[in-house]
Amino acid sequence: MDALTFTSKLIEFTAWPIAAVVLSIVLKQPLEKLLGRLISAKHKDTEFGFAPDKQNAPKIENSGSIADAVPQDSLGLIAEQEARIYKSLDDLKIENPEDKVKVLAKHHANLQIRSAYAQINSAIYNSQLLLLQALNTQASPVELSFFYSYYNAAKNNYPEYYENYSFEDWLNYMKGSGLINTKDENYFITVFGRGFLTALTEVGANQKRVY
């Protein structure tokens, strides 16, 4: 299941059709470019970033310009979708401008999370996914030594892929993506990480992959 299929499947599990409309706008541009704009997010005490590395899309510099934040609409497609969004808001009788912002912000946040899941799904290695699934069954944080068997097994089976991919890089991808975090030097799966595993199950994504 490729990234675009995975993302479109996630639409089925959003709370409100506007999310699907927003997603159709976003996917007008390449998914990699969109995801490259995701820098960081925070859920409760867990903060995660989408730092570019060998598994992530290239970072796109943010100039801070409002014009850069607004997609180009030479064909008028975005304007059509905007009209549908406003009509959806009217149908729901959301008239207060602040309430409209709150509703759209929540669905935009949901879209960012779902898009991040799509990015991770296209980049995560099998060894990392297996580790994440194992962490999801642990009642308490584990020591770093818990990770070694997953990395070493993959390195032995696929030496050509892991020759220049160190354990630190392998570990830091999961930390940088917000899938895992540490407490008192022990590691645990984050709420974001559990959500990613749930999303895989919801859309029926293939959870067996190489590396």
Side-chain angles (χ1 to χ4, degrees):
M1 181 180 293
D2 59 37
L4 292 178
T5 303
F6 180 83
T7 306
S8 64
K9 279 283 188 179
L10 288 174
I11 298 174
E12 300 173 12
F13 301 94
T14 52
W16 186 38
I18 281 184
V21 178
V22 175
L23 185 58
S24 67
I25 297 174
V26 174
L27 289 182
K28 176 176 176 289
Q29 299 189 14
L31 182 63
E32 291 81 4
K33 184 175 181 180
L34 165 69
L35 296 173
R37 294 181 182 273
L38 297 176
I39 299 174
S40 64
K42 187 173 183 179
H43 182 277
K44 296 184 178 179
D45 296 330
T46 301
E47 185 170 2
F48 50 92
F50 304 106
D53 56 31
K54 64 183 65 179
Q55 292 196 102
N56 282 347
K59 180 180 179 181
I60 297 178
E61 296 296 334
N62 182 6
S63 67
S65 169
I66 294 179
D68 291 339
V70 178
Q72 298 298 312
D73 189 25
S74 59
L75 298 178
L77 296 175
I78 294 179
E80 291 182 8
Q81 298 289 12
E82 281 183 312
R84 294 178 186 177
I85 291 174
Y86 286 122
K87 184 178 184 304
S88 295
L89 292 171
D90 290 339
D91 291 343
L92 291 172
K93 301 187 183 304
I94 301 176
E95 300 178 355
N96 187 302
E98 291 185 0
D99 290 339
K100 290 182 179 180
V101 171
K102 289 179 181 179
V103 169
L104 293 175
K106 284 184 179 294
H107 285 281
H108 183 65
N110 178 59
L111 175 61
Q112 285 188 317
I113 292 172
R114 299 289 176 158
S115 297
Y117 287 164
Q119 179 190 30
I120 294 170
N121 180 62
S122 67
I124 194 169
Y125 286 4
N126 188 58
S127 57
Q128 295 165 324
L129 183 57
L130 290 174
L131 170 66
L132 201 63
Q133 291 168 337
L135 286 177
N136 198 35
T137 66
Q138 301 301 307
S140 58
V142 300
E143 296 181 353
L144 185 61
S145 58
F146 183 88
F147 289 41
Y148 292 144
S149 61
Y150 295 91
Y151 175 81
N152 290 332
K155 186 175 182 179
N156 290 334
N157 291 330
Y158 305 98
E160 66 276 22
Y161 291 101
Y162 284 82
E163 180 179 3
N164 297 314
Y165 193 30
S166 68
F167 175 79
E168 289 73 20
D169 289 337
W170 180 84
L171 175 66
N172 286 335
Y173 171 74
M174 292 180 286
K175 290 181 65 178
S177 296
L179 299 172
I180 62 175
N181 208 338
T182 58
K183 180 178 182 181
D184 299 328
E185 299 185 355
N186 290 328
Y187 289 79
F188 61 92
I189 184 173
T190 63
V191 174
F192 181 79
R194 294 183 192 277
F196 172 66
L197 294 180
T198 299
L200 290 180
T201 301
E202 285 179 345
V203 303
N206 182 10
Q207 298 189 36
K208 294 182 179 180
R209 56 201 74 200
V210 295
Y211 319 146

